[in-house]
Amino acid sequence: RATGADEDDSHRTLSEYLDLIASTIAGQHGQVMHYAGDAALARFEAAADALACALRIQAEICRRNDLLPESRRIVFRIGLNLGDVILDRGDMYGNGVNVAARMQALAAPGGIAFSESFQTALRGQSDVQSCRLGRRRVKNIVEPIGIYTLVGDPTASAWRRTRRAHAMALAAGAVFTVILAVAAWRGGWLD
């Protein structure tokens, strides 16, 4: 939608935000491993650094979006996971990356979602309060994964709405490397 309305402006804003994301990742001891359109994949050595980075990214993008008309705003979802990865040819692969991508997809626009392994790694490292959203089966992951978000994060209320709708539908029918996956959401993907 945004790209169709003003391709140059959408690209300029997205590019500025991706630069912000990259510099925030580097400033928080992380490394961008891959870009894919409006998404970035990064790795960190510490869960606390990844979370601090995600919080800074969301806060700064929110601040910048407040200065723009609603039609020009770009909002990102962030997913965090702690898991094994394969590093090859300057890129990152494996189940750990897949889980981070699924967490990102489950986050609300402007939100942060993270896996149970990430939550476990945070214990004692951060005074940020989190809440468990439950377990869910996700594409290409064998076992259901525990999903968490931060207290007050928009992901929690979006998750409750989704679970309520899902429950109603059911009733009616009778390294250890920390991975950050970020992708844009603007009333639909920027395809």
Side-chain angles (χ1 to χ4, degrees):
R1 178 182 52 86
T3 302
D6 190 337
E7 188 171 22
D8 290 336
D9 182 61
S10 292
H11 181 262
R12 189 171 31 260
T13 301
L14 177 61
S15 183
E16 289 171 11
Y17 284 6
L18 289 174
D19 288 345
L20 162 74
I21 289 167
S23 66
T24 306
I25 289 168
Q28 201 61 49
H29 314 293
Q31 177 185 5
V32 174
M33 298 301 295
H34 182 80
Y35 290 100
D38 58 5
L41 182 64
R43 66 179 272 212
F44 294 82
E45 294 301 321
D49 286 339
L51 180 60
C53 181
L55 290 167
R56 285 189 176 126
I57 288 169
Q58 293 297 36
E60 181 59 21
I61 287 176
C62 181
R63 187 192 70 74
R64 290 183 184 199
N65 276 338
D66 284 346
L67 303 173
L68 297 174
E70 193 168 331
S71 63
R72 291 190 50 220
R73 295 176 183 175
I74 299 177
V75 182
F76 287 80
R77 302 170 187 253
I78 298 179
L80 301 166
N81 181 43
L82 176 78
D84 290 329
V85 296
I86 299 166
L87 299 176
D88 184 34
R89 301 170 207 236
D91 212 339
M92 196 163 48
Y93 306 90
N95 197 57
V97 173
N98 292 341
V99 172
R102 300 308 176 257
M103 292 295 101
Q104 173 270 314
L106 293 169
I112 301 167
F114 46 94
S115 67
E116 195 160 14
S117 63
F118 189 86
Q119 166 66 20
T120 300
L122 275 182
R123 287 191 190 122
Q125 290 190 34
S126 174
D127 57 357
V128 175
Q129 293 185 351
S130 61
C131 60
R132 187 171 193 269
L133 301 177
R135 296 183 70 72
R136 180 180 274 185
R137 288 198 173 279
V138 294
K139 180 180 174 186
N140 296 330
I141 306 298
V142 176
E143 296 293 322
I145 52 177
I147 302 159
Y148 290 78
T149 192
L150 303 173
V151 171
D153 186 286
T155 303
S157 58
W159 179 262
R160 280 191 292 277
R161 285 192 304 273
T162 301
R163 284 184 63 186
R164 198 174 313 125
H166 182 67
M168 291 168 67
L170 288 176
V175 145
F176 278 65
T177 301
V178 179
I179 305 130
L180 172 124
V182 183
W185 184 88
R186 192 173 182 176
W189 297 102
L190 296 176
D191 293 331

